[in-house]
Amino acid sequence: MSKIEPVIIVIEDDPAIRRFLRTGLNSHGFVIFTAETGKQGIIETGVRKPDLVILDLGLPDMEGVEVIKAIREWSTIPIIVLSARSSEQHKIDALDAGADDYLTKPFGIGELLARIRVAIRHSLRSSEQVTGDIFTNENLKVDLINRLVSLDNQEVHLTPIQYRLLTVLVKHAGKVLTHKQILKEVWGPSYQENAHYLRIYMSQLRQKLEEDPTQPKLLLTESGVGYRLKV
């Protein structure tokens, strides 16, 4: 049986970048379709049902954030933003709108491929109940059914809020979550501006789960934006 190649839609108005992405991703086994405008990209996404979307924010007809919102009305497909806009607020706006990841131009094809693999893997894990019940990463294991956390096969005791914070990160493993997104899921909508809560509990989690809490390798900080659980 022949292998089905993953489909990616690139929504980008710069023809040079479209060519670069098509060539680079084709050579790594991806089928690429392109769109030059936001509206065309939304239509292509609806028709092609791709495995992932790569999106530029500065499109000629509409803002990339609006494209994300439009796709999120009907699909949870992974969306990676690829943009020259590098400010923290642009990243936060895109991620809060529903993007899975954000890569700033100029970029290397190797880093983009790594982000693509993580996003598609996260998407598959989210859609498969069997693999979604237990998360493992090297020496960390989180059993979501039995509410057990272990490190090096030793049970780790977490407070209810520490556990809730960890499970939110586990359920979105590999995806950048903004401070606001995490606060809403862990503490509720009225706590979305209380970022100091998050910093305190993230520090506590790192004390319990990281070999060196000052140099975390699992619970990663996206500076000024939020956090990501490494997969």
Side-chain angles (χ1 to χ4, degrees):
M1 189 188 310
S2 61
K3 180 182 177 183
I4 299 174
E5 296 180 321
V7 174
I8 294 177
I9 297 218
V10 175
I11 308 174
E12 166 67 66
D13 64 326
D14 187 325
I17 293 179
R18 284 201 307 274
R19 285 194 300 271
F20 174 74
L21 288 172
R22 182 188 292 278
T23 302
L25 297 178
N26 272 159
S27 67
H28 285 85
F30 294 97
V31 176
I32 309 300
F33 296 96
T34 62
E36 299 177 28
T37 67
K39 289 180 181 177
Q40 184 186 355
I42 293 168
I43 292 170
E44 282 285 300
T45 302
V47 171
R48 305 283 184 185
K49 301 293 189 297
D51 296 278
L52 182 133
V53 170
I54 295 175
L55 172 70
D56 181 26
L57 291 184
L59 298 168
D61 61 332
M62 60 193 296
E63 281 293 311
V65 167
E66 297 307 314
V67 176
I68 297 169
K69 291 178 180 177
I71 293 174
R72 283 290 172 259
E73 288 179 1
W74 53 270
S75 177
T76 59
I77 178 178
I79 299 174
I80 296 179
V81 170
L82 198 60
S83 178
R85 300 175 184 178
S86 59
S87 76
E88 290 175 357
Q89 193 57 52
H90 282 127
K91 295 179 182 179
I92 290 168
D93 289 345
L95 294 164
D96 277 342
D100 292 77
D101 207 345
Y102 194 114
L103 197 57
T104 304
K105 299 175 183 175
F107 61 93
I109 196 69
E111 182 177 6
L112 176 59
L113 284 165
R115 304 284 184 100
I116 288 171
R117 286 192 290 268
V118 167
I120 291 178
R121 195 159 64 239
H122 169 253
S123 178
L124 291 172
R125 182 187 295 121
S126 298
S127 64
E128 294 176 2
Q129 293 300 316
V130 176
T131 58
D133 295 339
I134 296 179
F135 172 85
T136 57
N137 184 300
E138 297 180 1
N139 55 349
L140 173 68
K141 180 179 178 180
V142 182
D143 183 337
L144 297 172
I145 295 296
N146 298 302
R147 298 173 63 87
L148 294 174
V149 179
S150 60
L151 194 66
D152 293 322
N153 296 316
Q154 298 293 315
E155 185 176 349
V156 178
H157 296 283
L158 301 179
T159 68
I161 291 182
Q162 290 170 354
Y163 178 76
R164 204 179 314 150
L165 173 57
L166 179 60
T167 58
V168 167
L169 294 167
V170 163
K171 289 173 182 176
H172 301 281
K175 176 177 177 177
V176 180
L177 293 175
T178 66
H179 299 124
K180 186 179 293 186
Q181 288 171 328
I182 299 173
L183 286 162
K184 183 179 179 180
E185 286 203 46
V186 177
W187 283 274
S190 60
Y191 288 84
Q192 291 184 63
E193 303 305 322
N194 296 58
H196 61 285
Y197 283 2
L198 182 52
R199 285 194 295 271
I200 291 169
Y201 279 93
M202 185 60 71
S203 175
Q204 293 173 356
L205 262 189
R206 284 172 169 163
Q207 290 290 336
K208 293 184 176 183
L209 300 179
E210 296 281 3
E211 184 177 346
D212 180 358
T214 64
Q215 299 289 329
K217 296 181 179 179
L218 183 68
L219 303 167
L220 305 180
T221 298
E222 298 288 334
S223 183
V225 176
Y227 298 96
R228 178 205 305 262
L229 177 62
K230 185 180 178 182
V231 293

